[in-house]
């Protein structure tokens, strides 16, 4: 694989709802500035935002990284925390382990992972109980 021509990295703090969306917003702006199509930019922004929210809601904190190549973008979200006990269950629409206070804020509907999966061209979750989760999403800049 060739080296990305641009790397972006953002720290995500557990429970920091005020800064939620900053990483996805900056990635979106960067992709727009370099001329990636609006449809792809939208998919990357949605997938990244959903991932940011999962880190903020469910972990002890982590990072969002975007590796931008001429023909695709890879977004990697890594966190420390409880991990995902049952990945197959977690990617089902409507399944949520969000606490009530998160639901009261309007989040935690159980659509984060399904949205991430449907927005990306390639989606992978690696998680270990008690250690954390790593999600990798790949978005092609041009549709075949």
């Amino acid at each position: 694989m060739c080296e990305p021509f641009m790397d972006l990295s953002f720290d995500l703090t557990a429970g920091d709802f005020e800064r939620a969306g900053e990483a996805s917003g900056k990635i979106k702006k960067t992709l727009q500035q370099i001329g990636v199509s609006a449809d792809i930019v939208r998919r990357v922004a949605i997938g990244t935002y959903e991932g940011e929210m999962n880190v903020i809601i469910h972990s002890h904190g982590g990072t969002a990284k975007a590796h931008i190549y001429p023909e695709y973008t890879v977004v990697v979200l890594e966190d420390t925390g409880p991990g995902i006990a049952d990945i197959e269950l977690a990617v089902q629409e409507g399944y949520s382990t969000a606490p009530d206070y998160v639901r009261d804020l309007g989040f935690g509907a159980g659509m984060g992972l399904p949205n991430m999966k449907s927005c990306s061209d390639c989606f992978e979750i690696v998680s270990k109980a008690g250690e954390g989760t790593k999600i990798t999403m790949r978005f092609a800049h041009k549709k075949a």
Side-chain angles (χ1 to χ4, degrees):
M1 183 181 332
C2 63
E3 292 293 314
F5 72 87
M6 190 177 300
D7 282 318
L8 304 171
S9 183
F10 306 92
D11 290 326
L12 304 175
T13 303
D16 189 356
F17 291 95
E18 288 187 24
R19 292 186 56 215
E22 282 185 12
S24 57
K26 289 178 181 177
I27 292 167
K28 175 182 176 179
K29 184 176 182 178
T30 300
L31 293 173
Q32 288 171 329
Q33 289 173 339
I34 63 171
V36 174
S37 71
D39 178 58
I40 303 304
V41 171
R42 181 186 61 78
R43 290 174 45 225
V44 172
I46 291 169
T48 305
Y49 179 78
E50 295 285 10
E52 276 183 270
M53 292 309 299
N54 281 355
V55 172
I56 289 166
I57 292 168
H58 298 289
S59 79
H60 304 305
T63 59
K65 295 180 181 180
H67 308 289
I68 304 170
Y69 298 84
E71 295 167 359
Y72 60 91
T73 295
V74 176
V75 175
V76 180
L77 296 126
E78 290 188 81
D79 69 49
T80 57
I84 300 172
D86 185 338
I87 292 173
E88 190 173 316
L89 180 61
V91 297
Q92 292 182 16
E93 291 184 11
Y95 178 78
S96 178
T97 59
D100 288 340
Y101 81 90
V102 170
R103 292 172 192 264
D104 291 344
L105 293 171
F107 304 107
M111 291 304 296
L113 290 174
N115 284 341
M116 293 168 72
K117 186 175 182 179
S118 68
C119 283
S120 58
D121 297 311
C122 183
F123 178 79
E124 178 183 54
I125 300 176
V126 177
S127 189
K128 187 167 183 184
E131 291 185 20
T133 302
K134 178 180 179 180
I135 295 177
T136 304
M137 297 177 286
R138 181 175 164 151
F139 305 86
H141 291 176
K142 295 180 182 177
K143 287 277 186 181

